Amino acid sequence: MATMDRPIHVVGGGIAGLVAAITAAEAGAPVVLHEASGRLGGRAVGSAERPWVNLGPHVVFTDGALARWLRQRRIDIPMRGPLVRGLRLLDDRGTAFPIRHGLRLLPSIVRHDAPVDDTFRAWTEETFGGSTAELMCRLGGLITYHHDPGSLSARFMWERYRRSILSSDRVRWIAGGWLTLVDTLTERARTLGVRIELDDRLTRQALPDAPTVVATKLAAASRLLDRDLRWPGARTALLDVATAPDRGWPSVVADVRSDLATCCMIERETAPDPGALREEHAELIQAQLGVAADVSVAEGVARIEDGLDNGFPGWRESVQWRRAQILVDGVGAVDPPGTTWRDRPAVDQGDDVYLAGDAVASPGLLSEVSVNSGVHAARLALDARRRRAFAPGWPSVELTPERRLAVLAAVLPNASVETSTHVDRDVEPVDETGLGYRLEHRAGLTRATAVTASDADVRVMTLVASGLPKPARRLLERLPGRLRPWRR
Amino acid sequence: MRAAQRGDPLAMDALLTELAPWVGRICSSIALDKGDDAMQETLISVLKNLPTLREPAALRGWVRRIAVRQALRAVTGDRSVPVADVPEAATVPDFETSVDVRETLKKLSPQRRAVLVLRYLEDLSEQEVAEMMGTPEGTVKSGLFRARETFRDQWREA
């Protein structure tokens, strides 16, 4: 089949582009990865002279899409856990181990359904009361890099709050910086036969007539595709400092003093990862502070330095080098009240063009959005490629998640199907596509879920099938996942 | 494939992923607006009867036959469309055209659409198409001639 040689094109070699390229190549498709700059990695690599020094604090969550995607492929990335004893909170009373604050946050460990339409500030005040709400909103800065996390959608912030602040044991640092991840993914892509074209900036005219994944920042995608692709992001001041070694310093200082609506996070990267600076014998301190549009680099950095003075005494005297900058829309999408991730620029842009990246319509936190959308875009591009291979121009229909479920319901023994409709558009996604289709199987019990979103509502169809008699089936359904894991 | 025949739900699901784009193309080319129903019925029929398929290599020819039958049934309501056995075609043609394929297909009868799909989309020989549709080869030839004429007219209009 001559048409089967036609490659899938991926534009942009950041995490989303690499994930998309690898996912497509794993399915056997030829892939061409176009990167405008001279090296892969996008915002996951630091400066030219020290690419291993991340662009600001970077973490991975062990329960998230990136860690899962790596696990599924048995890609081993060395990661370091948090150093809880080195954690400090800086508030108006000074720097301390966060016992007092932990107690204040205690009510927030209860599960709640946070509304999409309210601001996080309004909802937390109503649910947890003034001082707890205030602290929760400020701490939101740790995970959003935004100057006013309390002004964002309560649903958006609550998910992030629960997965980061309340589950800080799941936070990991990549040893050697995110460059380690980029290098490993590049190696994997090359092994799979992905053709990597560096210094290859595509223009609208040069866009190939082939299934294409555009994995650039939204602004670049807008120009390339000549359409308006926008979503609110954060503006963040970053300060990196290398100093003489001092082991007495804390590992993380969260500066939540009341002059800020957010939190200034200061991490000593060399605490979890002593190799963060490679050959250099020094401490690496990285700090981020979400700042409003009218705040200059100098103002932002001055405020960060004030936090450093409180948490890292004597740092000014031993600075070996420093780097200060403001990052705009550099840490993914933030969802304002009334919106969810489903409302962001869609992965499927029509005409066999698909968007991937950290600001598109995919679930997850920070880089997880890139991974989920990269996988989703690659799958759609693969489908498009199969369609084209059969015959371009001929009519075609897709197997929607609901149709797929109906097929299985007609075939599997003792299948029962339930459908529920949710007016609230943010039903929990069941797979990385966010469209939602998942089939699970364990010990004779099959469970499939299809989530379909329309403008008005979200429909969830669930199928349960088993050849076993009813009592045994009930028992199996209740078995904890750890005893008999679901196969997917 | 073997696992799907044994009834492993995960293997069946994987087979759906594999077959769906191809089956969807055949079904909607013949049944047009009823293509999604025809695809659903085809895939149900395929999974149900999978254990009866003795030779996995024959899968595509077998699925194609079911797809054509279900597509014709969906659009004509006829339950007795004869679709006989045909060997697997090795290649798929590059049937690229600038005309609106869908609009042109609408002007043809369902049977003629099926003939066109089998000949050009599935690259069967005229003899194979005749066998599969249960019609004389001459009918297939004249049908294809008419279909090509319709495409040509459409192209002139465009």
Side-chain angles (χ1 to χ4, degrees):
Chain A
M1 287 184 247
T3 46
M4 288 304 270
D5 297 321
R6 290 182 189 169
I8 286 173
H9 292 265
V10 178
V11 186
I15 298 295
L18 279 165
V19 164
I22 290 170
T23 307
E26 279 171 348
V31 179
V32 186
L33 177 58
H34 308 265
E35 166 58 43
S37 78
R39 83 171 344 282
L40 293 177
R43 277 169 279 142
V45 293
S47 62
E49 61 273 25
R50 288 187 190 83
W52 50 85
V53 174
N54 298 334
L55 207 50
H58 269 60
V59 292
V60 179
F61 301 93
T62 56
D63 58 340
L66 176 56
R68 191 167 53 240
W69 188 85
L70 293 170
R71 268 200 305 275
Q72 282 166 354
R73 279 154 190 81
R74 301 200 161 76
I75 298 178
D76 193 28
I77 302 286
M79 297 194 196
R80 310 275 182 253
L83 301 172
V84 178
R85 271 184 304 172
L87 191 65
R88 296 288 180 274
L89 228 76
L90 167 59
D91 63 9
D92 296 340
R93 289 155 75 172
T95 311
F97 187 75
I99 296 174
R100 207 161 21 91
H101 314 90
L103 288 173
R104 207 193 292 169
L105 294 177
L106 211 54
S108 70
I109 61 172
V110 181
R111 269 193 174 279
H112 286 276
D113 276 328
V116 172
D117 293 335
D118 288 355
T119 64
F120 190 52
R121 181 170 294 114
W123 178 72
T124 47
E125 272 171 10
E126 190 186 309
T127 313
F128 305 105
S131 65
T132 300
E134 221 169 86
L135 185 57
M136 285 173 74
C137 287
R138 290 212 186 102
L139 286 175
L142 289 176
I143 183 78
T144 58
Y145 303 74
H146 191 266
H147 69 281
D148 188 8
S151 69
L152 302 171
S153 164
R155 175 74 58 89
F156 171 82
M157 285 306 304
W158 180 236
E159 184 202 357
R160 273 144 191 80
Y161 176 80
R162 290 196 69 85
R163 283 201 48 209
S164 59
I165 320 285
L166 289 191
S167 318
S168 44
D169 55 317
R170 293 181 179 155
V171 175
R172 294 289 181 277
W173 281 261
I174 296 180
W178 278 48
L179 184 68
T180 308
L181 175 68
V182 171
D183 286 345
T184 309
L185 295 187
T186 305
E187 178 65 31
R188 174 63 62 112
R190 281 195 204 282
T191 309
L192 287 165
V194 174
R195 206 172 90 206
I196 297 170
E197 303 281 358
L198 297 176
D199 299 309
D200 182 17
R201 185 179 295 277
L202 288 192
T203 59
R204 200 177 313 153
Q205 290 75 27
L207 264 184
D209 175 29
T212 303
V213 176
V214 177
T216 62
K217 281 182 82 166
L218 280 183
S222 283
R223 283 192 299 275
L224 188 64
L225 302 173
D226 192 22
R227 62 193 72 169
D228 193 18
L229 302 167
R230 258 186 298 185
W231 196 257
R235 187 168 179 271
T236 311
L238 300 176
L239 177 66
D240 303 332
V241 179
T243 70
D246 185 329
R247 279 161 206 277
W249 282 338
S251 57
V252 175
V253 174
D255 178 353
V256 291
R257 284 176 291 170
S258 57
D259 62 313
L260 296 175
T262 185
C263 162
C264 171
M265 175 162 66
I266 311 168
E267 280 185 8
R268 183 162 60 92
E269 302 291 329
T270 31
D273 177 20
L277 274 177
R278 306 252 160 148
E279 307 296 304
E280 285 177 83
H281 186 61
E283 297 281 355
L284 174 63
I285 299 172
Q286 293 198 288
Q288 60 94 350
L289 172 65
V291 290
D294 57 353
V295 176
S296 70
V297 186
E299 288 167 325
V301 168
R303 180 59 186 80
I304 293 175
E305 287 179 338
D306 193 55
L308 268 144
D309 289 339
N310 282 274
F312 302 81
W315 71 275
R316 285 180 194 263
E317 284 79 66
S318 60
V319 173
Q320 297 180 357
W321 57 262
R322 52 181 281 156
R323 179 175 71 174
Q325 59 197 318
I326 281 197
L327 195 62
V328 180
D329 294 343
V331 283
V334 296
D335 298 342
T339 64
T340 75
W341 58 268
R342 290 181 206 278
D343 301 308
R344 295 179 204 150
V347 172
D348 189 348
Q349 289 286 315
D351 300 329
D352 297 349
V353 172
Y354 309 97
L355 285 189
D358 62 1
V360 306
S362 272
L365 268 59
L366 301 167
S367 62
E368 292 167 14
V369 182
S370 296
V371 174
N372 282 330
S373 59
V375 171
H376 187 192
R379 282 200 202 151
L380 293 174
L382 285 165
D383 281 350
R385 182 167 169 276
R386 285 192 202 107
R387 270 200 315 272
R388 283 179 179 230
F390 297 133
W394 288 73
S396 177
V397 282
E398 312 257 342
L399 184 64
T400 61
E402 290 196 346
R403 291 252 174 208
R404 184 186 274 255
L405 213 112
V407 169
L408 290 172
V411 175
L412 294 174
N414 303 326
S416 58
V417 178
E418 276 176 34
T419 307
S420 60
T421 308
H422 304 252
V423 185
D424 186 342
R425 306 217 331 111
D426 200 28
V427 173
E428 194 156 328
V430 295
D431 74 355
E432 53 272 88
T433 70
L435 294 173
Y437 173 75
R438 183 167 67 198
L439 181 77
E440 299 166 301
H441 182 74
R442 79 174 177 202
L445 188 75
T446 308
R447 198 168 61 184
T449 318
V451 180
T452 319
S454 72
D455 284 340
D457 54 30
V458 178
R459 256 195 332 274
V460 180
M461 259 173 98
T462 318
L463 169 146
V464 180
S466 170
L468 300 165
K470 239 187 182 166
R473 188 170 146 180
R474 287 242 176 83
L475 195 73
L476 274 175
E477 267 184 82
R478 295 211 187 113
L479 262 184
R482 238 169 284 156
L483 290 180
R484 294 302 299 262
W486 290 97
R487 239 176 359 121
R488 281 188 199 166
Chain B
M1 176 66 205
R2 292 277 182 219
Q5 283 189 311
R6 281 197 307 272
D8 178 345
L10 296 183
M12 286 163 120
D13 195 56
L15 192 63
L16 288 182
T17 306
E18 192 52 44
L19 293 178
W22 174 55
V23 169
R25 184 53 54 97
I26 295 178
C27 285
S28 65
S29 295
I30 299 174
L32 299 177
D33 295 339
K34 288 184 180 154
D36 40 10
D37 288 333
M39 172 170 66
Q40 183 172 328
E41 291 306 317
T42 302
L43 294 173
I44 289 173
S45 180
V46 165
L47 289 185
K48 266 194 180 153
N49 297 309
L50 204 54
T52 67
L53 186 71
R54 246 170 273 131
E55 196 47 66
L59 177 74
R60 279 184 100 81
W62 179 66
V63 172
R64 177 191 299 126
R65 206 161 57 244
I66 297 173
V68 172
R69 186 167 49 212
Q70 291 293 352
L72 285 173
R73 186 180 286 178
V75 76
T76 60
D78 186 357
R79 306 205 148 258
S80 60
V81 181
V83 180
D85 228 293
V86 271
E88 164 81 356
T91 54
V92 172
D94 223 15
F95 194 85
E96 281 189 82
T97 163
S98 58
V99 302
D100 189 338
V101 180
R102 194 185 184 87
E103 283 307 305
T104 314
L105 287 173
K106 262 189 196 163
K107 295 183 177 171
L108 301 170
S109 73
Q111 265 76 11
R112 206 158 274 167
R113 284 202 293 269
V115 166
L116 199 69
V117 165
L118 290 170
R119 180 69 190 90
Y120 291 114
L121 200 58
E122 292 295 292
D123 203 31
L124 301 188
S125 72
E126 282 164 4
Q127 192 191 343
E128 286 165 339
V129 176
E131 276 172 26
M132 187 154 165
M133 297 296 296
T135 51
E137 212 179 315
T139 316
V140 170
K141 275 191 176 141
S142 65
L144 283 170
F145 178 75
R146 298 264 168 72
R148 278 196 296 265
E149 285 291 292
T150 314
F151 265 89
R152 210 163 292 148
D153 293 347
Q154 183 77 19
W155 182 72
R156 262 189 224 121
E157 280 170 30

